[in-house]
Amino acid sequence: MTAPSSRPSAMEFLAGLRALTVRAPSPDASVHAVLGPGGTSVELGDTAGRDPGGLARQIAAALTRAQREYRDALCVLMGGEVPDAPPGPLVAGLEDALGAITVEAASPGGLARVRRHGAIGVSVELAPGAPGHPALPAELDAALRAADRAFAARFAS
């Protein structure tokens, strides 16, 4: 990739940001993470009988991949700092500020716990019995939204 010839206007950037959505699969394609204007969510395939730790690793891998792809798309949208180039001062400073933030959030029913560290770091823990539980998708999305809100609040402070 090469850098675009000019930076977008503020209105073009905001329009692009509002439309930016990334969907990324886990390594085994059983999970897809979606990042976009509506926040972070996870689409789960059939989870019945899955090992909670293995499923949690697939979820975390999909989230990490989506976060990387979102960051790369955002860099391109900003007009010049592209994924195959070293980060410019704006992105490097932002990554340093985000790297100092770690938050954890649990789902309301205790089926899932999400830990976010920095711009891309994420880990997921699932309770025994979570795979195959009908409430898992909603519980996981609730934990992700809570972690996103906590992360944003820490960044803003």
Side-chain angles (χ1 to χ4, degrees):
M1 284 186 176
T2 58
S5 59
S6 65
R7 294 196 180 270
S9 70
M11 293 303 289
E12 291 169 327
F13 175 75
L14 288 174
L17 185 60
R18 285 187 196 106
L20 184 58
T21 300
V22 172
R23 184 174 187 267
S26 63
D28 72 359
S30 67
V31 175
H32 286 82
V34 180
L35 275 72
T40 305
S41 65
V42 174
E43 300 166 354
L44 299 173
D46 182 16
T47 63
R50 300 269 317 249
D51 167 59
L55 180 58
R57 285 188 292 279
Q58 291 296 316
I59 294 167
L63 288 165
T64 299
R65 182 174 180 186
Q67 288 173 337
R68 280 193 180 109
E69 290 178 13
Y70 191 89
R71 180 204 56 201
D72 291 349
L74 187 57
C75 289
V76 171
L77 187 62
M78 289 169 59
E81 297 185 23
V82 295
D84 60 352
L90 176 64
V91 171
L94 184 59
E95 286 179 348
D96 286 346
L98 294 174
I101 299 173
T102 299
V103 296
E104 260 188 55
S107 64
L111 291 178
R113 177 175 289 286
V114 175
R115 182 176 186 264
R116 288 201 48 198
H117 175 73
I120 295 175
V122 64
S123 63
V124 176
E125 293 176 27
L126 298 178
H133 194 287
L136 180 59
E139 287 272 309
L140 188 54
D141 283 350
L144 288 165
R145 282 192 300 275
D148 285 349
R149 283 190 305 272
F151 195 87
R154 288 279 310 277
F155 181 68
S157 63

